[in-house]
Amino acid sequence: MNKIPSVDLTDFISEDPKRKQKFIDEIGKAYEEIGFVALKGHFLSDSLIKNLYGAIKDFFDQPQKVKDQYEIPGIGGQRGYTSFGKEHAKGRKEGDLKEFWHFGQYVENNTKLEAEYPDNVMVKEVPEFNTSGKEAYKQLEKTAKYVLRALALHLDLEETYFDKFITNGNSILRPIHYPPIKEEPKAAVRAAAHGDINLITLLMGAQGKGLQVQNHDGQWIDAIAQDDELMINVGDMLSRLTNNKLKSTIHQVINPPRELWNTSRYSIPFFMHPISNMPLNVLENCVDENHPKLYEDITAGEFLHQRLIELGLIKA
C-alpha cells in the first residue's frame, strides 16, 4: 500500500446500516494492511482547533524559565512539560528534537483512578491552554470511542467491547513543538522511527510534510492529512491484543529541508490508553493454526511501564 486510506466517521454513526458497514470494512482493511487512516467526521470544531493551536503556540513561546517550572519531577513526564531532547525512541540514545506537554484524564466518578493518576498541571500564564486542552481531550476521546467500536465489530466482538476499558482510561493529549533547527543535526530527527504504545493514536497537525509511515515493503510513505482530517493509527497494545491482525506501523517525523529549518512545527497526538488493569491477552478469535499466539499475557499497565523504561522517561 502506497497511500494512506481516507475514511469518514459520519458513515459509522449514521443510521444507515450499509454506511456503517462500509466504514467498518474500510477501516478494518486499512488497519490490517498499513495500520493508518486519515479520518474525516471527527468531533473537533474548527473554532476549537484554532483556539487550541493559538494557545499551544503561546505556551511554547514562553521563556524557558517559565516552561521549566511546569516540568514535574518523579512522574515520568506523565503530566505537564517535558523539555527539549528528553525523550528518545526505543533503541536510540539521541533525544528527539522536540519539547512537549501532557494533558491526562479528567476522571469522573472514580476515586480509585483519581488517586492513581497524577493531577493535570494548570498553566497560569496562558489560561486558554488549560480550557482548550481539556475540551480537545474530551472530543478526541469521544472520536476514539467510536473508532474502537467499529474495530470491535470488525474483530467479531460486541460493539461496546472497549467501552469499559477506555472509560476514565489513562489517555494522554500531547501538544508537541518541534523548534527551528539551528545547526546540522548529528543523528537526531524530530521524532525517530517508532511504534506507539497505546490502543490507537489520533493525530492533529499532519497537514504538512514531515510524518512518514513505513509500509510492509519497508518503503517510507508521506502521511499528509487534509484540513478536515485526523491521522489515526494502531498502537502496540491493540496490535498485541489482536495477535498482529491489526498492524502497529512504524512511523517517524523527519527533519524538514534546509530552507525550512527556521520554522517551527506543531502537532497534537492523542494517545488512547485503557485503564491499567485491562488485560492485553491475545483475543481467542485472533489465534488459529496459521496464526499461533505471539504474546504472553500482560496488563495494559504492566506493558506501559515496560515501554516507559525503554523510552528513557522512567528509571528501571
Side-chain angles (χ1 to χ4, degrees):
M1 185 173 282
N2 294 313
K3 186 174 184 295
I4 305 302
S6 182
V7 296
D8 191 334
L9 188 60
T10 58
D11 286 336
F12 183 74
I13 59 179
S14 73
E15 300 296 320
D16 184 340
K18 288 184 179 178
R19 288 180 63 194
K20 184 173 183 177
Q21 190 60 50
K22 174 176 176 283
F23 181 87
I24 294 165
D25 293 343
E26 287 175 347
I27 198 168
K29 182 174 188 287
Y31 280 174
E32 289 188 20
E33 293 184 357
I34 198 164
F36 266 75
V37 295
L39 180 128
K40 301 180 188 296
H42 53 76
F43 295 104
L44 295 162
S45 67
D46 291 344
S47 59
L48 174 58
I49 292 170
K50 181 180 177 182
N51 291 343
L52 181 63
Y53 271 106
I56 286 168
K57 185 176 187 303
D58 286 349
F59 171 74
F60 286 119
D61 282 348
Q62 295 293 313
Q64 192 61 45
K65 65 180 181 181
V66 171
K67 292 184 285 189
D68 286 345
Q69 68 183 328
Y70 295 111
E71 190 155 18
I72 312 300
I75 61 170
Q78 291 180 74
R79 301 290 185 273
Y81 177 66
T82 296
S83 50
F84 184 82
K86 280 273 179 76
E87 187 182 62
H88 59 77
K90 179 181 174 182
R92 287 179 67 107
K93 293 180 180 177
E94 301 84 13
D96 290 343
L97 304 179
K98 67 189 181 193
E99 56 181 345
F100 57 89
W101 181 275
H102 277 167
F103 296 95
Q105 184 60 260
Y106 300 87
V107 179
E108 296 175 359
N109 304 317
N110 192 316
T111 52
K112 178 179 176 291
L113 288 178
E114 279 182 15
E116 179 181 326
Y117 298 153
D119 292 334
N120 275 302
V121 179
M122 297 294 113
V123 175
K124 58 181 181 290
E125 291 82 2
V126 190
E128 180 66 30
F129 185 73
N130 308 311
T131 54
S132 289
K134 181 177 181 178
E135 181 60 20
Y137 186 105
K138 293 291 188 182
Q139 297 306 322
L140 287 162
E141 188 174 47
K142 182 179 178 182
T143 301
K145 178 179 74 174
Y146 285 103
V147 170
L148 286 172
R149 285 183 176 182
L151 293 176
L153 291 170
H154 176 69
L155 294 165
D156 295 322
L157 303 169
E158 288 289 328
E159 181 171 342
T160 57
Y161 174 85
F162 290 101
D163 283 22
K164 62 183 178 293
F165 298 123
I166 62 173
T167 299
N168 286 326
N170 194 19
S171 299
I172 292 290
L173 178 65
R174 173 189 277 194
I176 303 172
H177 175 221
Y178 302 104
I181 297 171
K182 296 195 166 81
E183 59 186 36
E184 186 80 45
K186 294 182 174 65
V189 293
R190 283 183 158 174
H194 65 284
D196 292 339
I197 301 170
N198 41 291
L199 291 170
I200 55 174
T201 300
L202 292 74
L203 177 66
M204 304 169 61
Q207 275 74 27
K209 274 199 170 189
L211 176 65
Q212 293 187 328
V213 177
Q214 192 173 44
N215 69 13
H216 298 333
D217 297 324
Q219 300 166 316
W220 287 104
I221 301 166
D222 287 327
I224 302 174
Q226 299 300 312
D227 288 345
D228 59 346
E229 291 178 332
L230 303 173
M231 280 291 172
I232 307 187
N233 63 279
V234 176
D236 291 346
M237 286 184 183
L238 186 58
S239 186
R240 187 183 186 104
L241 184 73
T242 64
N243 209 35
N244 281 359
K245 179 181 176 73
L246 305 184
K247 302 288 192 290
S248 177
T249 306
I250 299 299
H251 51 285
Q252 64 183 2
V253 179
I254 58 172
N255 297 332
R258 186 179 289 267
E259 62 268 21
L260 295 178
W261 277 12
N262 64 341
T263 60
S264 284
R265 176 187 172 96
Y266 300 91
S267 68
I268 313 170
F270 177 78
F271 300 110
M272 168 58 85
H273 281 266
I275 52 177
S276 56
N277 63 1
M278 178 186 180
L280 295 181
N281 309 345
V282 173
L283 295 168
E284 290 181 8
N285 62 355
C286 292
V287 178
D288 58 33
E289 286 183 10
N290 297 320
H291 304 91
K293 183 178 176 182
L294 297 174
Y295 302 107
E296 295 299 314
D297 295 350
I298 195 170
T299 67
E302 291 164 343
F303 183 67
L304 175 61
H305 185 77
Q306 286 179 8
R307 291 294 300 273
L308 290 177
I309 291 171
E310 292 168 352
L311 293 174
L313 289 175
I314 61 175
K315 304 298 181 188

